[in-house]
Amino acid sequence: MKKPLMAGNWKMNKTIAESVSFVRMLKTAVSDVKDIEVLICPTFICVNAVYNEVKGSNINVGAQDLFWEEKGSFTGEVSAFMLKDAGCSYVLVGHSERRQHFGEVDKTVNKKVKAALLNDIVPIVCVGETLREREENTTFKVIEKQVKESLPDLSQEEASKLVIAYEPVWAIGTGKTATPQQAQEVHAFIRERYSQLYKDAADNVRILYGGSVKPDNISELMKQPDIDGGLVGGASLEVESFVKLVKHSKN
Ligand code: PEP
C-alpha cells in the first residue's frame, strides 16, 4: 500500500531562522498525522538546521537539487553524499524551474536520480508540459519523452522507490490548477508508460501532482486514483495552509 506524500518546495525562500521557526510549528501541528508522509525541501543552506529541528518527528527533509559526482572540483555544487550527511532523505530532481533557467535536461536528471538512489536518498523526479505544448496537443508526447529519458537503466527496486511529480509548467505559481480530471489523465498515462519500463514497480511508484495546489483544491485532486500526493510551492510557505494540505482540509 502506497503512503501518500505531501511535499513543500520552498524554492529560494526563507532564512535559516525562518525555516527553523516554521518547522517547529509544523512539527506540533502534524504530530498526530500517520497516514501521509510530510516533507519539507528548504534551500541547501537551511537543510541541516531544519533537519536538526525535526529529527525524531514525522517530518522528512529534502533538497531541491544535487550534483551527481560525490566530491571534487565542482564549484557551487552539492553532492548526494553531502545531502545525506546533512539529513536529507529526499531530493527534487528536474524541477521545471531548473529545466527552464539552469539548463537541466533529461540526461542530467537521470545522472542525478542514480546518484541520489546510490546514497539512499529518494529522488522526486519532476515532469510536465509547457502551456504551448499543451495547446499544441503534445502533452503526452512530451511527458513520455521525459519519463523514458530521465528514468532509464534502473533496477525494479530503485524504480519503485523513487517518486514522480507531474507538474504542468503552466500551473506552477500561476494560480491555474489542472482540473482533477486533467491531472488524473496524465498521472494514469505516466503510470502506464512507467509500467512499460518497470513492470513490477509501476503500481507502487508514487506520482505527485504539483501546480497551484491549495487547501481548496487538494481534496478533489487527492480523490483521483493515480494521484498519490502533492508537490507544493506557494501554499507550503505558510504553516496554516501547508497543514491544511497535509490534513486535506478546506477549513
Ligand atoms: C512547485 O514549486 O513545484 C509548485 C508546484 O509551485 P506552486 O504550488 O506555487 O504552483
Side-chain angles (χ1 to χ4, degrees):
M1 183 69 186
K2 290 174 291 209
K3 195 170 186 178
L5 172 64
M6 193 57 65
N9 170 18
W10 282 353
K11 311 190 185 193
M12 199 173 69
N13 291 294
K14 297 194 188 294
T15 61
I16 297 175
E18 287 165 350
S19 303
V20 170
S21 145
F22 182 110
V23 290
R24 192 171 293 147
M25 289 187 270
L26 181 66
K27 199 165 59 169
T28 310
V30 301
S31 62
D32 57 334
V33 171
K34 292 193 175 62
D35 52 354
I36 183 160
E37 249 186 284
V38 183
L39 170 65
I40 291 292
C41 300
T43 62
F44 282 137
I45 55 163
C46 296
V47 158
N48 189 245
V50 166
Y51 172 71
N52 285 328
E53 185 61 39
V54 300
K55 218 182 324 183
S57 77
N58 56 350
I59 300 171
N60 296 284
V61 184
Q64 299 171 16
D65 190 25
L66 77 160
F67 188 58
W68 54 83
E69 295 290 346
E70 186 179 312
K71 59 183 176 182
S73 304
F74 303 102
T75 302
E77 296 295 329
V78 178
S79 72
F81 177 75
M82 290 164 177
L83 293 180
K84 187 75 193 172
D85 183 52
C88 285
S89 45
Y90 284 87
V91 63
L92 304 180
V93 186
H95 189 281
S96 66
E97 287 156 13
R98 300 237 39 106
R99 293 179 189 260
Q100 225 177 324
H101 306 305
F102 304 100
E104 190 81 84
V105 291
D106 294 330
K107 208 170 161 185
T108 51
V109 170
N110 185 242
K111 287 183 176 201
K112 292 180 178 188
V113 166
K114 287 180 178 159
L117 289 165
L118 202 65
N119 286 275
D120 199 26
I121 298 179
V122 177
I124 301 179
V125 184
C126 305
V127 298
E129 81 285 4
T130 62
L131 182 59
R132 187 162 169 200
E133 289 161 345
R134 179 157 280 265
E135 285 172 351
E136 286 172 349
N137 284 323
T138 54
T139 298
F140 293 107
K141 198 170 141 209
V142 168
I143 301 290
E144 175 166 23
K145 181 176 178 294
Q146 288 176 341
V147 170
K148 289 201 166 153
E149 295 184 5
S150 322
L151 297 169
D153 312 323
L154 304 173
S155 69
Q156 293 286 340
E157 196 196 336
E158 288 174 327
S160 54
K161 222 185 266 177
L162 62 81
V163 175
I164 299 173
Y166 169 56
E167 299 205 301
V169 180
W170 49 272
I172 297 179
T174 59
K176 284 187 205 155
T177 325
T179 64
Q181 293 69 29
Q182 280 174 322
Q184 166 58 26
E185 192 184 23
V186 179
H187 280 233
F189 176 79
I190 292 172
R191 202 178 299 285
E192 193 271 317
R193 286 302 129 117
Y194 201 61
S195 77
Q196 294 179 0
L197 293 173
Y198 306 107
K199 195 172 183 327
D200 301 338
D203 283 347
N204 296 329
V205 76
R206 288 178 295 179
I207 308 177
L208 313 182
Y209 170 76
S212 298
V213 172
K214 305 277 180 240
D216 64 0
N217 58 31
I218 188 67
S219 298
E220 286 307 309
L221 288 162
M222 289 299 285
K223 277 184 199 153
Q224 305 305 311
D226 288 294
I227 298 186
D228 307 306
L231 178 54
V232 188
S236 74
L237 291 171
E238 300 295 332
V239 179
E240 200 188 326
S241 57
F242 191 61
V243 170
K244 282 182 184 166
L245 294 178
V246 169
K247 300 194 171 180
H248 297 180
S249 139
K250 290 187 184 184
N251 308 306

